Amino acid sequence: MAKKLRLCLTAFLLLDIIIIGYMLAHSIQTDIPDRLVTYVGEEEEIELPAIYNTEDTVTALSVKNQSSGFSMKSKQTGSYQVPVRLFGIVPIKNVDVKVIRKMKLAPSGEPIGIYVETNGLLVLDTIEIEGRDGLTYAPGEHILQAGDYILKWNHQPVPTIRRLNRQIQKTGKKKVPVTIRRENEEIEIAIQPILTTDQTYKIGTWVREDTQGIGTLTYIKEDGEFGTLGHGISDVDTGTLLNLHGGEMYSTKIVDIIKGDKGEPGELQGYIDMVADNEIGEIRKNTEMGVFGKVDSQKKAQYETDYIPVGMKQDLKRGKAFIYANLEGKARKYEIEIEEIYMNSRDNKSFIIHVTDRRLLKLTGGIVQGMSGSPILQNGKIVGAVTHVLVDDPTKGYGVFIETMLSQ
């Protein structure tokens, strides 16, 4: 009996150790930031659970322990590390700290049209085709993959579908080398076109050369650089992040709003008139965290507002905040609630927002497609941008830290 009791107590002790270990590991991941960005000359207070502290320093980055966290301040830019310990004894992790000069952004909130050209022809799918001889062929199958980019056909650049088709007809049924980019690597394959029933040569492959859509301009810097969307432009069929050759941003007007409902995302519908007079900027970069470029100097004043401070991720607090967007002819604030903050998020789903503004709920039902990039403001700072809607609840969605967008 005593032996069984000892075994039970040992089992419970081991279970307690496992649970405590799991909770500690979870706390380290969620409560202690991996990286922080702060401004020169400003004292920053970082909240941590009371079981963690660091060491006071008076080096270039002055660090002081507090009852629940620490404060830090630096008189110069640079990169530093702040060691965090459990109960002041056990080393847990180092927090990377980057000190930068103060910066301000002009939150825009204006709807914009985006047109981009891919760097190569994006492969969507391969299909079977019927040859002139009545047989079925799939010349691209097992050779091309969805997400590949066709760069050259028979050593000739093919930046457009028209150019590709010309080269295919020119080479006829001859097997020729084709240069493609798969992920980040250029490779050479060989494809043999098939003469089809309509007397043309085909390779049984669907490709795309450009795309367009509507989003919301997030911010403009004083030098005219802009950021928008808060997520990358991906192909709707393959989900592949588009590798851009170039693109433009155009002014647009919202002509209709389809309200979101459970399981059915809503949408801002607008018309993009891609003429020179409507072009407002050049798109230079497409990343997972947003689309970036530069606004035309003559159009800059039309899309910028007052410049306000940038709020770093440690500045975000659960509670009241605002989406800033032009959905009714003029940009205005719509109240939201920040419900969860993922301090160590490395993607574009950094925090969860909940739309509480009755006017916005009546207008859109919450967050809809086209609102991506809408700046999020809290306590007089721009802290993030809208990125995604929760399909099962359009009143909720995700935001990306503005510092994450600026780091691209």
Side-chain angles (χ1 to χ4, degrees):
M1 184 68 179
K3 186 176 180 181
K4 287 184 178 180
L5 182 60
R6 285 196 300 272
L7 287 173
C8 287
L9 290 174
T10 301
F12 280 120
L13 179 60
L14 289 173
L15 182 61
D16 287 342
I17 292 172
I18 292 171
I19 292 173
I20 292 171
Y22 172 80
M23 292 176 64
L24 182 59
H26 184 265
S27 174
I28 292 170
Q29 175 61 29
T30 59
D31 295 332
I32 305 175
D34 295 329
R35 299 185 298 251
L36 292 170
V37 180
T38 186
Y39 292 128
V40 170
E42 285 197 359
E43 186 170 26
E44 191 83 58
E45 294 187 356
I46 307 301
E47 294 183 3
L48 295 176
I51 60 173
Y52 303 116
N53 59 21
T54 183
E55 57 187 38
D56 291 350
T57 66
V58 288
T59 57
L61 180 68
S62 177
V63 178
K64 295 180 180 178
N65 268 310
Q66 297 181 338
S67 58
S68 57
F70 62 93
S71 67
M72 58 184 182
K73 184 177 181 180
S74 178
K75 294 181 179 179
Q76 62 188 54
T77 60
S79 297
Y80 309 92
Q81 284 192 332
V82 177
V84 177
R85 297 184 175 88
L86 178 64
F87 303 122
I89 301 172
V90 183
I92 295 296
K93 70 191 293 186
N94 290 325
V95 179
D96 294 320
V97 178
K98 185 176 182 180
V99 183
I100 64 173
R101 299 195 182 280
K102 264 189 179 180
M103 64 185 306
K104 292 185 176 183
L105 300 175
S108 177
E110 292 294 327
I112 45 99
I114 292 174
Y115 170 81
V116 293
E117 301 171 354
T118 58
N119 186 13
L121 299 176
L122 175 66
V123 175
L124 304 179
D125 199 5
T126 58
I127 59 172
E128 294 182 343
I129 53 177
E130 184 179 349
R132 186 184 175 187
D133 57 8
L135 299 178
T136 299
Y137 299 88
E141 191 176 23
H142 305 308
I143 299 173
L144 291 168
Q145 300 177 7
D148 288 346
Y149 284 88
I150 299 176
L151 305 177
K152 294 179 181 179
W153 179 274
N154 199 19
H155 307 297
Q156 298 299 311
V158 284
T160 65
I161 294 175
R162 186 177 180 183
R163 289 273 292 275
L164 174 62
N165 190 50
R166 282 182 179 176
Q167 288 298 320
I168 292 173
Q169 304 313 310
K170 185 178 179 180
T171 55
K173 63 179 181 180
K174 184 169 61 175
K175 181 179 283 191
V176 296
V178 180
T179 304
I180 66 170
R181 183 175 57 253
R182 181 167 293 162
E183 296 180 349
N184 294 320
E185 182 183 2
E186 284 193 16
I187 59 176
E188 192 171 279
I189 59 174
I191 298 179
Q192 182 175 5
I194 299 297
L195 182 62
T196 59
T197 53
D198 63 2
Q199 305 300 313
T200 62
Y201 289 94
K202 296 179 182 177
I203 60 172
T205 303
W206 290 105
V207 296
R208 178 171 293 152
E209 64 180 275
D210 54 32
T211 192
Q212 63 186 46
I214 290 175
T216 302
L217 183 58
T218 308
Y219 65 79
I220 298 177
K221 294 181 180 180
E222 292 180 308
D223 62 3
E225 291 186 358
F226 72 81
T228 184
L229 295 188
H231 59 70
I233 301 174
S234 298
D235 182 75
V236 294
D237 296 303
T238 66
T240 303
L241 184 72
L242 295 181
N243 190 302
L244 301 188
H245 173 67
E248 298 86 38
M249 181 170 66
Y250 292 89
S251 60
T252 189
K253 290 186 178 180
I254 303 303
V255 296
D256 193 18
I257 298 176
I258 299 176
K259 292 180 67 173
D261 202 353
K262 185 176 181 180
E264 297 182 8
E267 181 183 5
L268 299 182
Q269 294 187 334
Y271 174 69
I272 308 173
D273 189 4
M274 291 186 291
V275 297
D277 287 346
N278 287 336
E279 185 178 336
I280 57 177
E282 175 189 6
I283 293 173
R284 299 177 176 175
K285 186 163 55 172
N286 179 37
T287 77
E288 295 284 359
M289 307 304 168
V291 175
F292 306 91
K294 192 155 189 176
V295 174
D296 187 299
S297 58
Q298 297 181 346
K299 303 288 182 70
K300 181 169 174 279
Q302 300 176 32
Y303 289 86
E304 64 184 355
T305 56
D306 293 336
Y307 284 80
I308 63 174
V310 172
M312 300 304 172
K313 62 183 180 182
Q314 64 268 21
D315 295 323
L316 266 77
K317 307 296 178 188
R318 289 184 177 87
K320 183 178 176 181
F322 299 93
I323 288 175
Y324 188 66
N326 180 358
L327 302 172
E328 305 174 85
K330 183 179 179 181
R332 57 161 291 162
K333 293 178 181 179
Y334 298 97
E335 190 171 321
I336 61 172
E337 194 85 4
I338 295 179
E339 294 191 336
E340 295 289 340
I341 301 171
Y342 307 117
M343 187 64 72
N344 290 323
S345 166
R346 300 195 178 188
D347 57 21
N348 51 31
K349 296 180 179 179
S350 309
F351 53 97
I352 293 180
I353 60 175
H354 183 195
V355 176
T356 56
D357 193 288
R358 291 183 180 180
R359 186 168 181 167
L360 183 57
L361 290 171
K362 183 177 180 180
L363 186 66
T364 65
I367 299 166
V368 298
Q369 296 177 35
M371 286 177 66
S372 292
S374 299
I376 296 174
L377 314 178
Q378 189 180 57
N379 298 324
K381 298 179 180 180
I382 178 170
V383 295
V386 175
T387 59
H388 298 82
V389 61
L390 296 181
V391 177
D392 289 337
D393 184 357
T395 68
K396 293 185 177 183
Y398 289 98
V400 61
F401 296 133
I402 198 69
E403 71 174 70
T404 303
M405 289 186 69
L406 290 170
S407 69
Q408 301 302 297

